[in-house]
């Protein structure tokens, strides 16, 4: 009996000591001003990777859960970077000095690939006769209709727990290597996802992608993609050297305008992701320059393949002040061509090209063609394709008989 009681006391003492140590460790994590948030997040991510299999199908994070999680993470990050001399605070606290090069909008419009675009530093000079003709046309309220060039945007991610729970798209060690490969293939813009829980990325990969892309193409743009809920995330993007950041209209709501204003002040370009008519209108009212219409409803998680096409008429015509792109659930080149034909300046593709040998095919389908001005989108010419010089591409088209088909004219 005495031996049993002795063992019980020893066990009780061990448990008491363990509980005290554990609580002390938790308090240090919660209250230490020097706590490394990234280390805490990595510990959580490591734990989550081991438990995701057992939790899969039981509880999946939706946009509400993602927002609350990011708010908690950013609260801790703000505490860690509270000093005024902190690089991230300095990136947020100083107004842009002088005129910085803006790659994002130029890349989305492929300005540097168009020899006739006046925004291209290497644009061809116009003759006196051409300038006189343009002046006379302007006097009559007319301008020449020019062919458009579509841009290809790659959404680099290993997974998307918000859109495709439980699926792994690709396995790679560094998003920088993927970004470099995509830009070498011809991608104009790369989205680098930095939320580990939702997309499997981090800020280190964003910095790696910026360095890699700059080495191979100084005109391509890198965009930080995250569930943005706090202004410090703009500072993170700026400090990492990103050209722009993605803002989700349904997440920010009435705060969208404040985020756009801060981004403009610090010299960071933005893309506003919208899904509904009201979200697009809110982005336009807030003077968002680059707008992405997504077929994916962030609130319900539902994919509506025709949503971007339905909202295409909300934007000005070709060459207007608003740069528009579309994405969400794109799986075929025909979907891309249709979105470009109705007036969008570019298309965003993620899952379909991640870890797929079809990436070059998708990129060429956009970059090796030109499109009619958006004003012609209702003329029934969606199936007519033009090469990079504006000439009609000959050869058979999908579901369109050619002159060489035996039953073409029956």
């Amino acid at each position: 009996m005495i031996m049993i009681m002795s063992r019980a006391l020893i066990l009780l003492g061990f448990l008491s000591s363990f509980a005290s140590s554990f609580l002390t460790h938790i308090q240090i994590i919660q209250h230490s001003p020097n706590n490394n948030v990234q280390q805490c997040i990595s510990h959580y991510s490591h734990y989550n990777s081991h438990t995701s299999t057992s939790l899969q199908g039981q509880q999946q994070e939706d946009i509400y859960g993602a927002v609350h999680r990011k708010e908690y993470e950013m609260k801790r990050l703000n505490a860690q970077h509270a000093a005024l001399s902190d690089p991230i605070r300095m990136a947020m606290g100083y107004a842009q000095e002088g005129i910085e090069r803006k790659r994002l909008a130029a890349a989305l419009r492929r300005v540097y690939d168009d020899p006739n675009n006046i925004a291209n530093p290497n644009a061809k000079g116009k003759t006196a006769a051409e300038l006189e003709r343009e002046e006379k046309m302007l006097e009559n309220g007319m301008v020449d209709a020019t062919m458009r060039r579509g841009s290809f945007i790659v959404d680099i991610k290993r997974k998307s727990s918000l859109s495709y729970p439980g699926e792994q798209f690709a396995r790679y060690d560094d998003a920088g290597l993927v970004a470099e490969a995509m830009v070498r293939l011809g991608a104009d813009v790369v989205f680098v996802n930095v939320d580990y829980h939702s997309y499997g990325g981090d800020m280190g990969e964003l910095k790696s992608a910026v360095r890699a892309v700059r080495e191979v193409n100084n005109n391509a743009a890198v965009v930080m993609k995250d569930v943005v809920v706090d202004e410090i995330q703009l500072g993170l993007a700026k400090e990492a050297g990103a050209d722009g950041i993605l803002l989700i209209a349904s997440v920010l709501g009435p705060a969208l305008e404040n985020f756009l204003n801060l981004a403009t002040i610090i010299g960071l370009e933005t893309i506003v992701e919208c899904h509904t008519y009201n979200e697009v209108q809110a982005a336009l009212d807030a003077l968002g320059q680059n707008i992405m219409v997504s077929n994916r409803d962030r609130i319900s998680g539902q994919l509506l393949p025709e949503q971007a096409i339905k909202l295409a008429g909300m934007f000005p015509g070709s060459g207007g002040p608003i740069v528009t792109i579309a994405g969400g659930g794109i799986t075929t080149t025909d979907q891309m061509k249709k979105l470009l034909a109705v007036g969008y300046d570019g298309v965003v593709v993620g899952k379909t090209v991640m870890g797929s040998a079809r990436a070059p095919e998708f990129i060429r389908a956009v970059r090796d063609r030109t499109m009619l001005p958006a004003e012609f989108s209702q003329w029934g010419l969606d199936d007519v394709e033009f090469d990079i010089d504006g000439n009609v591409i000959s050869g058979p088209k999908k579901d369109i008989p050619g002159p060489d088909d035996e039953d073409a004219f029956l």
Side-chain angles (χ1 to χ4, degrees):
M1 179 66 70
I2 295 175
M3 183 178 296
I4 294 174
M5 291 182 63
S6 176
R7 289 181 179 179
L9 290 173
I10 292 173
L11 178 61
L12 182 61
F14 170 77
L15 291 176
S16 176
S17 175
F18 174 80
S20 176
S21 175
F22 179 77
L23 290 174
T24 302
H25 180 66
I26 293 298
Q27 290 172 356
I28 291 174
I29 292 178
Q30 290 179 341
H31 299 295
S32 174
N34 298 318
N35 174 42
N36 189 327
V37 175
Q38 291 296 333
Q39 186 177 7
C40 292
I41 295 174
S42 66
H43 284 322
Y44 168 74
S45 302
H46 178 71
Y47 168 79
N48 186 67
S49 65
H50 288 285
T51 58
S52 59
T53 304
S54 61
L55 293 177
Q56 198 174 79
Q58 299 178 12
Q59 183 178 2
Q60 296 293 346
E61 184 181 57
D62 57 11
I63 190 63
Y64 300 102
V67 168
H68 288 309
R69 173 175 54 80
K70 294 301 292 189
E71 287 176 341
Y72 174 75
E73 292 176 5
M74 292 308 109
K75 182 178 179 180
R76 299 177 68 87
L77 197 63
N78 272 297
Q80 184 180 6
H81 296 277
L84 295 178
S85 59
D86 186 272
I88 296 176
R89 290 293 173 190
M90 294 178 68
M92 295 171 58
Y94 285 87
Q96 171 184 310
E97 296 182 1
I99 301 177
E100 293 184 3
R101 182 178 179 184
K102 297 295 183 289
R103 291 184 180 85
L104 182 53
L108 292 175
R109 281 268 169 88
R110 288 181 60 188
V111 165
Y112 298 102
D113 291 340
D114 188 355
N116 298 315
N117 194 314
I118 60 175
N120 185 352
N122 301 317
K124 296 179 180 178
K126 296 184 179 180
T127 64
E130 290 174 336
L131 292 173
E132 183 181 357
R133 179 175 178 274
E134 284 187 1
E135 186 177 350
K136 289 182 178 179
M137 292 185 67
L138 285 173
E139 290 176 357
N140 296 287
M142 302 171 62
V143 292
D144 277 328
T146 57
M147 301 294 286
R148 297 181 297 120
R149 296 168 183 259
S151 59
F152 188 87
I153 303 99
V154 180
D155 189 1
I156 299 176
K157 52 191 174 185
R158 295 177 174 84
K159 60 180 182 178
S160 180
S161 61
L162 297 176
S163 302
Y164 302 95
E167 290 191 39
Q168 184 87 16
F169 304 157
R171 298 181 184 276
Y172 50 83
D173 294 330
D174 184 9
L177 299 176
V178 180
E180 178 184 351
M182 291 296 179
V183 170
R184 286 186 182 276
L185 288 173
D188 301 285
V189 179
V190 292
F191 287 177
V192 180
N193 291 269
V194 300
D195 184 68
Y196 183 86
H197 187 279
S198 297
Y199 302 107
D202 57 39
M203 287 300 302
E205 290 191 321
L206 175 63
K207 295 179 180 180
S208 174
V210 170
R211 291 193 299 268
V213 170
R214 292 289 181 271
E215 290 180 0
V216 298
N217 189 336
N218 200 37
N219 296 327
V222 180
V223 176
M224 171 178 152
K225 182 178 177 183
D226 196 1
V227 182
V228 176
V229 298
D230 194 287
E231 292 178 348
I232 195 173
Q233 290 166 279
L234 303 185
L236 289 171
K238 184 69 176 177
E239 194 268 339
D243 299 294
I245 188 170
L246 183 74
L247 305 176
I248 303 175
S250 60
V251 170
L252 295 177
L256 175 62
E257 185 174 1
N258 294 335
F259 279 75
L260 290 173
N261 290 340
L262 176 59
T264 301
I265 291 172
I266 65 177
L268 184 68
E269 293 184 88
T270 59
I271 296 178
V272 183
E273 179 188 310
C274 307
H275 174 73
T276 66
Y277 175 92
N278 289 337
E279 290 173 3
V280 172
Q281 192 60 54
L284 293 173
D285 292 342
L287 302 182
Q289 181 188 7
N290 308 312
I291 297 179
M292 171 185 170
V293 179
S294 175
N295 292 324
R296 176 78 61 179
D297 186 346
R298 290 284 187 180
I299 305 301
S300 66
Q302 185 179 6
L303 180 65
L304 303 175
E306 300 293 319
Q307 185 72 0
I309 294 175
K310 293 177 181 178
L311 297 179
M314 294 188 66
F315 307 105
S318 301
I322 309 300
V323 180
T324 60
I325 58 178
I330 295 178
T331 57
T332 67
T333 56
D334 287 338
Q335 287 176 294
M336 296 192 307
K337 294 175 185 177
K338 190 172 183 180
L339 289 168
L340 295 172
V342 299
Y344 287 101
D345 295 298
V347 289
V348 183
V349 183
K351 176 185 176 183
T352 304
V353 298
M354 291 309 301
S356 170
R358 298 187 63 194
E361 172 193 351
F362 274 73
I363 294 175
R364 287 196 304 268
V366 173
R367 289 188 56 87
D368 292 351
R369 289 168 171 77
T370 53
M371 290 85 61
L372 289 169
E375 291 79 5
F376 290 84
S377 61
Q378 303 300 321
W379 286 32
L381 301 173
D382 295 356
D383 295 320
V384 182
E385 297 181 18
F386 302 87
D387 62 19
I388 199 66
D389 296 319
N391 302 313
V392 176
I393 298 178
S394 59
K397 310 291 191 304
K398 183 178 179 181
D399 299 327
I400 302 175
D404 298 327
D405 296 335
E406 295 181 359
D407 56 349
F409 303 100
L410 297 180

